[in-house]
Amino acid sequence: QQQVKQSPQSLIVQKGGISIINCAYENTAFDYFPWYQQFPGKGPALLIAIRPDVSEKKEGRFTISFNKSAKQFSLHIMDSQPGDSATYFCAASIDSGAGSYQLTFGKGTKLSVIP
Amino acid sequence: GAGVSQTPSNKVTEKGKYVELRCDPISGHTALYWYRQSLGQGPEFLIYFQGTGAADDSGLPNDRFFAVRPEGSVSTLKIQRTERGDSAVYLCASSFSGGGPYEQYFGPGTRLTVT
């Protein structure tokens, strides 16, 4: 059972454009929703994260929009740059009861920003 | 400061052999996670340590997988009787703990290939 569904699988955006990646989750107990960026050969790195008590969070060119009733959240990258070309993962977590905030990841979106 | 380090970066082994993968977390991080990332997929949770104890091992796929963290710092993931299906990138992440979700800092991973 895939608890976090991510789309699209791949995305090509022109430099300066807006990149939008969507995720949907099933478990309403999730209470922490981070987005990770991963370059080839590297581990994932946190970009931005949101808790379900807010509908939007912005950090620089990156914005998370969160819709609790629809169980969906999305990442918007404004003014996309070639350096943003990477794989992006949405994730969700809850306290498993043992203090573990294990992350449940989506399958990833490979973003290519072309000049 | 230094990030999460993992050794070796690459490991090729024959089917049936035993392997050990090492993770050195960020100093002061009491929480440590192991994830496994198959090609084209998001990381999947394996095990969580709080200090020296494995507080949540619900993600370990079977009893061939085992992990330790004897002094609450370095952790070793051990895989017995490796199978070709174990081929993946094994990621380690560390974070602060207590009081809610904290950013998980990932290492670069160990790419395991079982021939």
Side-chain angles (χ1 to χ4, degrees):
Chain A
Q1 181 186 11
Q2 186 186 355
Q3 295 196 60
V4 179
K5 294 184 179 180
Q6 183 172 347
S7 63
Q9 187 174 354
S10 62
L11 181 62
I12 299 174
V13 172
Q14 204 84 25
K15 178 183 174 184
I18 302 173
S19 303
I20 302 174
I21 305 171
N22 300 299
C23 281
Y25 62 97
E26 298 168 7
N27 187 347
T28 55
F30 284 139
D31 64 357
Y32 175 67
F33 301 88
W35 284 89
Y36 280 81
Q37 178 188 56
Q38 187 175 32
F39 292 104
K42 305 290 187 183
L46 180 69
L47 261 181
I48 185 172
I50 198 168
R51 301 296 294 268
D53 51 348
V54 297
S55 60
E56 186 174 281
K57 183 174 181 181
K58 182 176 181 179
E59 289 183 1
R61 297 185 294 112
F62 302 93
T63 300
I64 298 180
S65 297
F66 187 83
N67 185 330
K68 188 174 181 179
S69 61
K71 295 187 287 185
Q72 295 176 347
F73 58 111
S74 61
L75 176 69
H76 291 60
I77 306 174
M78 312 299 289
D79 187 27
S80 299
Q81 299 296 312
D84 296 331
S85 298
T87 300
Y88 292 80
F89 293 94
C90 61
S93 77
I94 53 171
D95 182 355
S96 67
S100 168
Y101 280 89
Q102 58 177 269
L103 295 167
T104 300
F105 285 86
K107 289 191 173 184
T109 296
K110 186 173 182 179
L111 171 66
S112 299
V113 181
I114 54 177
Chain B
V4 177
S5 62
Q6 292 186 246
T7 54
S9 55
N10 283 282
K11 176 71 177 179
V12 180
T13 190
E14 293 180 349
K15 179 175 179 291
K17 299 290 188 183
Y18 167 84
V19 296
E20 290 189 352
L21 312 179
R22 175 188 168 108
C23 171
D24 203 336
I26 292 172
S27 178
H29 282 184
T30 55
L32 186 146
Y33 300 80
W34 283 98
Y35 293 85
R36 177 168 71 174
Q37 186 173 24
S38 300
L39 192 63
Q41 303 293 316
E44 293 181 315
F45 169 76
L46 294 176
I47 188 169
Y48 161 73
F49 285 89
Q50 175 53 44
T52 60
D56 183 354
D57 65 358
S58 61
L60 294 178
N62 51 60
D63 61 6
R64 294 187 297 105
F65 289 74
F66 187 72
V68 296
R69 194 186 184 197
E71 297 178 357
S73 178
V74 171
S75 176
T76 304
L77 179 66
K78 307 180 180 192
I79 310 174
Q80 299 178 323
R81 305 183 304 280
T82 52
E83 300 177 357
R84 292 194 180 89
D86 298 336
S87 296
V89 175
Y90 289 81
L91 294 163
C92 174
S94 71
S95 76
F96 292 110
S97 63
Y102 293 93
E103 177 177 355
Q104 293 184 26
Y105 293 82
F106 283 81
T110 293
R111 181 176 298 279
L112 175 65
T113 303
V114 182
T115 62

